[in-house]
Amino acid sequence: VAFTPTVGTTTYTVTGTDANGCVNTDQAIVIVNALPNVSAGNDVTVCEGTQVTLNGSGAATYAWDNGVTNGVPFTPSVGTTTYTVTGTHSNGCVNTDQVDVIVNPLPVVNAGPDQIV
């Protein structure tokens, strides 16, 4: 029988009766750990060419997609990219979170031709 146990430690008892009416029981202890509360941080908006550092929190180890390494600066491309971090707790439980990095292009600036005065 399938079921979804709740977080915590629960002892389940099964009782079996054979054709002769003999009865026996056994127990299984099931420990369900809570998922880590993984956070990718707040969304980030920067200008083109600016380095960004993404840091996960709420778990023991972190793995980012798109080639990002936790806590290591990188220079994202212009546009909006959603980065996903997967955090793993020391008990092996895994959860994810996402952050958007918005990179605005630099404005085109023209001061006109050089002047000699």
Side-chain angles (χ1 to χ4, degrees):
V1 174
F3 67 99
T4 302
T6 59
V7 173
T9 302
T10 304
T11 301
Y12 294 92
T13 303
V14 61
T15 302
T17 305
D18 68 11
N20 298 315
C22 296
V23 177
N24 201 358
T25 61
D26 195 16
Q27 294 181 333
I29 298 172
V30 176
I31 300 170
V32 178
N33 295 312
L35 292 175
N37 187 19
V38 175
S39 174
N42 295 324
D43 292 346
V44 178
T45 301
V46 296
C47 294
E48 181 179 4
T50 303
Q51 287 193 324
V52 172
T53 303
L54 298 180
N55 289 295
S57 64
T61 62
Y62 306 94
W64 290 87
D65 64 355
N66 294 317
V68 172
T69 300
N70 197 62
V72 176
F74 67 101
T75 305
S77 303
V78 171
T80 301
T81 304
T82 301
Y83 294 90
T84 300
V85 63
T86 301
T88 303
H89 190 275
S90 57
N91 62 19
C93 294
V94 175
N95 207 353
T96 62
D97 193 28
Q98 295 181 323
V99 62
D100 286 335
V101 175
I102 303 155
V103 180
N104 295 315
L106 294 176
V108 176
V109 178
N110 184 350
D114 293 345
Q115 299 290 321
I116 299 174
V117 190

